[in-house]
Amino acid sequence: MTKEELKTQLKEQIIQYLNLMDMSVDKFPDDVPFFGSELGLDSIDSLEMIVLLEREYGIKIENPQEGRKVLIDINHMADYILEHSKVK
Amino acid sequence: MFIEFSYAISPQKTYDESCFLDSQAINYTNNQLQVIEPKYNEAIPLNLLRRMGRAVRLGVGGAMEMCIKNNLQPNAIIFSSAVGGLEDCIKFLNQIYVYEEGTLTPTNFVQSTPNAIAGSLALLTKNSSYNTTHVNGANSFLDALLDAQLLMNEGKTSSCLLGCVEEISSYNYNINQLAGLYKDTFISSLDLLKTKSKGSICGEGAAMFYLSPHSQNYEAEIISFFTIQKNSSADEILEEIESMLNKENLEKNAISDLILGYNGDQETQQNYDSLSLFFENSNIYAYKHLTGEYPTSVSFALWMGIKLFKNKELPLSCIKKVSQNIREYVLIYNHYNSKEHSILLLKKGTRE
């Protein structure tokens, strides 16, 4: 899977996991921060995304410092998945 | 205790009173009557709405719609539900199994607890006043009403938001179906009261009331109410009701309107039939063909009683008998599965 394909899949999964009713893959930006931006995500959403990484990509984030480096935006998240995913 | 405002979300378009009262009732044919919800556009921020389970959405949405529309800021929030957001609770339990007790998200669990509704309302409106939730089967709603009354009698609040929410979940539908609470064959909901078989149809709903200990401008006054939590014969129920009327110095002919919980189950209708005969000069109404059966449906009956006082015409299918035009006192009697009985006596308010 290419990075672009992964980003599209990731957007679909985030929309589904977080039930982002007014969001679509087309409108989901690659580089806008998840938190503190117009996306309006919060700490409960970060937990949902940690669970998403574990269930969909076999990546377990146990260190909060590591989580902060991953859950920045779609680009950072996709890079981390390509580097660490156990699901082929 | 006075009811100043009321609001209901039900399988009929009750959130828009004019629409519900002026048109024909909606018919359902799948034995599960799910509510018709308003859009909640102004009531709940989209960011919170996306995370809410149905029960929380109905409760928070209903309460916010009523409060925003009438500019209300209650000094207490009291909610009630027999089972809360069971659908989310089951989702959470299933996740524990499917993901082999691995990492779980909190959303489904948080949304499934019955007190999530009152808690969400407090957070949303920054209301730090008295906040509690009663979960006691079919008596939950009147327990919450009792809590409100005690709070007001002690002078601890000058207003109270009283809410009640029940949702259909596939889990409780299946369990109750096996227990014989629902009919084995699909029927038209508007024909429910004509059926001669066992069981009822499943329903859900949310009802909100804004209460005050003193008021000059109110929809109805709650004169008396009580619950009975055991299998009781019609004679026992009548004895308790007569005792209540005696305490209030009322004759049975003072009851202008009687709302009964007829639910189409021919095996549990005796108490309703006995009351119909006893109050031979009262108008008699039924409502479960509109809402379906659920543990706290008496909250909908209370909402309907208030509409009667406002001289609103109910859908014709609600009327079982009309004897008089004067509306002064409404008596509500409902039981759930013959075990949990609710009785409420209302007096007409000052505002129509």
Side-chain angles (χ1 to χ4, degrees), chain B residues 148-319:
Chain B
Q149 187 182 49
L150 292 171
L151 207 61
M152 288 180 183
N153 287 351
E154 289 174 3
K156 289 183 176 170
T157 187
S158 57
S159 62
C160 175
L161 169 64
L162 176 75
C164 182
V165 177
E166 225 65 73
E167 72 167 14
I168 295 175
S169 78
S170 53
Y171 175 81
N172 64 3
Y173 180 80
N174 292 336
I175 294 285
N176 289 337
Q177 176 82 54
L178 290 170
L181 258 63
Y182 306 132
K183 294 192 182 298
D184 291 330
T185 53
F186 289 133
I187 62 160
S188 292
S189 59
L190 293 182
D191 291 333
L192 176 71
L193 305 179
K194 299 174 197 159
T195 57
K196 306 286 181 199
S197 54
K198 185 181 183 309
S200 185
I201 54 177
C202 183
E204 63 180 10
M208 308 295 148
F209 304 93
Y210 189 78
L211 308 174
S212 170
H214 312 286
S215 183
Q216 301 298 317
N217 184 19
Y218 56 97
E219 293 184 325
E221 181 182 359
I222 298 177
I223 301 291
S224 184
F225 61 93
F226 61 93
T227 60
I228 300 171
Q229 207 152 2
K230 60 173 186 175
N231 278 316
S232 299
S233 67
D235 287 344
E236 288 172 308
I237 298 293
L238 271 173
E239 200 176 307
E240 295 287 347
I241 289 174
E242 281 191 285
S243 169
M244 176 184 75
L245 293 178
N246 285 338
K247 274 185 204 162
E248 302 300 334
N249 290 320
L250 291 171
E251 299 288 330
K252 70 171 183 175
N253 287 338
I255 304 300
S256 54
D257 302 270
L258 187 60
I259 300 178
L260 297 170
Y262 279 107
N263 69 354
D265 182 346
Q266 290 309 309
E267 293 189 5
T268 61
Q269 307 298 288
Q270 299 88 338
N271 289 7
Y272 300 132
D273 290 339
S274 296
L275 260 70
S276 298
L277 289 172
F278 182 76
F279 291 97
E280 73 263 20
N281 295 323
S282 307
N283 303 324
I284 295 174
Y285 304 89
Y287 62 94
K288 286 183 188 164
H289 60 299
L290 304 179
T291 65
E293 177 67 291
Y294 57 97
T296 52
S297 71
V298 70
S299 59
F300 182 87
L302 176 56
W303 178 86
M304 196 167 113
I306 292 165
K307 297 310 126 189
L308 279 175
F309 284 141
K310 293 175 87 177
N311 280 334
K312 301 283 187 185
E313 294 303 325
L314 298 177
L316 284 176
S317 59
C318 296
I319 302 167

Side-chain angles (χ1 to χ4, degrees), chain B residues 60-133:
Chain B
V60 173
M64 290 299 292
E65 291 276 349
M66 181 179 76
C67 289
I68 290 171
K69 189 175 160 194
N70 301 295
N71 197 23
L72 308 175
Q73 291 174 320
N75 296 130
I77 299 173
I78 303 177
F79 258 77
S80 56
S81 179
V83 292
L86 201 58
E87 195 68 30
D88 271 7
C89 183
I90 299 299
K91 270 188 209 165
F92 182 73
L93 293 174
N94 277 339
Q95 284 183 29
I96 293 175
Y97 173 74
V98 171
Y99 296 105
E100 297 174 337
E101 300 186 20
T103 311
L104 297 170
T105 61
T107 309
N108 288 134
F109 177 69
V110 169
Q111 294 295 312
S112 71
T113 56
N115 60 2
I117 303 166
S120 299
L121 272 170
L123 289 169
L124 193 58
T125 58
K126 296 183 171 55
N127 186 326
S128 58
S129 62
Y130 184 86
N131 188 301
T132 196
T133 301

